[in-house]
Amino acid sequence: MPLLSLTDFVDIVSKSGTPKITKIRQIKVRPDYNPALDYYKLLRNRLIETHEKNLGKSYLKNLLQYITDQRKLHNYEPLIEEYCRWWGRTKYDWFNPPSGKWTHGSVQVTINPELGLIKDGKKLLIKLYFKSDKLSKNKVSVILYLMKNVLVQENSSDMNVGIHDIRHGKMYTSPIKEEGLDAMLKGEAAYIETV
């Protein structure tokens, strides 16, 4: 099985029955990542650059004047507005977010949060979520669990993890109930190996 992104792994874990097998097969046969086909790459990079260089909301909004694809413009504009609404007047400092891998058997899952923000001395690692479907409680639990266990334990106790569902203006950072989650994820990895 190829190296899985966190998104791919969570998509597999959240399915059951034949759709789970179908998802695994789709991932297995799809072509390698191509940045030119990454729909949200421009926005993701602009968000990172805006915070990393402390450029402010106007720099983020300025991205829209360079978008010529009307469909992309139609999708990016509300995402930028919603992100700026969430940001509000809060002052964030930047730190380079760590990345890591969760491994079980031959299955490896890359954990790469896009943003590392500091507010009032507290660090927050943020995974950005752009999809139109709302995040389920199950997906949120898996993502937060993997981020916390792979990235926080190795780095710092003053660091928290979060998922920002930009489209719906929701930040998920609540505590993770870990009961049985580790065993469940190891079972999912074994299932992926078998398929």
Side-chain angles (χ1 to χ4, degrees):
M1 186 74 191
L3 184 67
L4 294 172
S5 70
L6 180 57
T7 303
D8 285 340
F9 185 67
V10 170
D11 284 348
I12 292 168
V13 168
S14 66
K15 296 191 182 315
S16 61
T18 55
K20 184 186 289 275
I21 295 169
T22 302
K23 184 66 180 175
I24 294 169
R25 288 183 178 147
Q26 287 172 347
I27 292 168
K28 192 173 181 179
V29 299
R30 77 174 172 210
D32 290 338
Y33 172 77
N34 181 347
L37 301 177
D38 185 342
Y39 188 82
Y40 293 106
K41 183 174 176 48
L42 284 173
L43 179 54
R44 189 180 309 108
N45 288 347
R46 182 59 70 108
L47 281 164
I48 293 167
E49 185 181 14
T50 299
H51 284 291
E52 187 176 23
K53 297 179 180 176
N54 196 24
L55 297 170
K57 292 180 209 162
S58 59
Y59 182 75
L60 179 58
K61 292 177 181 180
N62 192 33
L63 172 65
L64 296 172
Q65 72 180 342
Y66 301 105
I67 307 290
T68 55
D69 179 338
Q70 288 303 307
R71 190 174 136 239
K72 193 175 276 192
L73 181 64
H74 177 74
N75 281 305
Y76 274 31
E77 191 168 13
L79 290 171
I80 290 172
E81 287 303 317
E82 194 58 52
Y83 188 85
C84 289
R85 189 175 299 117
W86 169 80
W87 186 349
R89 296 181 182 187
T90 306
K91 166 81 170 99
Y92 290 107
D93 292 315
W94 173 262
F95 73 98
N96 286 325
S99 61
K101 289 181 187 165
W102 179 83
T103 304
H104 183 74
S106 67
V107 175
Q108 291 186 336
V109 179
T110 58
I111 317 287
N112 295 314
E114 289 87 0
L115 302 178
L117 303 180
I118 304 170
K119 176 186 172 190
D120 302 327
K122 302 274 186 189
K123 293 180 177 178
L124 178 61
L125 291 171
I126 301 173
K127 185 73 185 152
L128 299 172
Y129 183 81
F130 296 102
K131 293 180 180 180
S132 57
D133 55 320
K134 283 191 174 184
L135 278 165
S136 68
K137 188 176 179 180
N138 182 38
K139 285 183 178 184
V140 169
S141 294
V142 170
I143 294 168
L144 292 177
Y145 176 82
L146 289 172
M147 286 177 65
K148 179 183 171 203
N149 282 280
V150 171
L151 304 175
V152 175
Q153 289 180 354
E154 295 176 5
N155 292 283
S156 167
S157 61
D158 70 339
M159 190 181 302
N160 198 6
V161 296
I163 309 158
H164 189 173
D165 181 351
I166 296 175
R167 191 175 300 275
H168 300 102
K170 181 83 173 145
M171 175 69 82
Y172 298 93
T173 58
S174 47
I176 306 150
K177 291 184 179 178
E178 299 182 13
E179 259 181 57
L181 200 48
D182 188 59
M184 188 265 297
L185 295 177
K186 288 176 180 174
E188 292 288 343
Y191 179 83
I192 292 168
E193 274 184 308
T194 302
V195 172

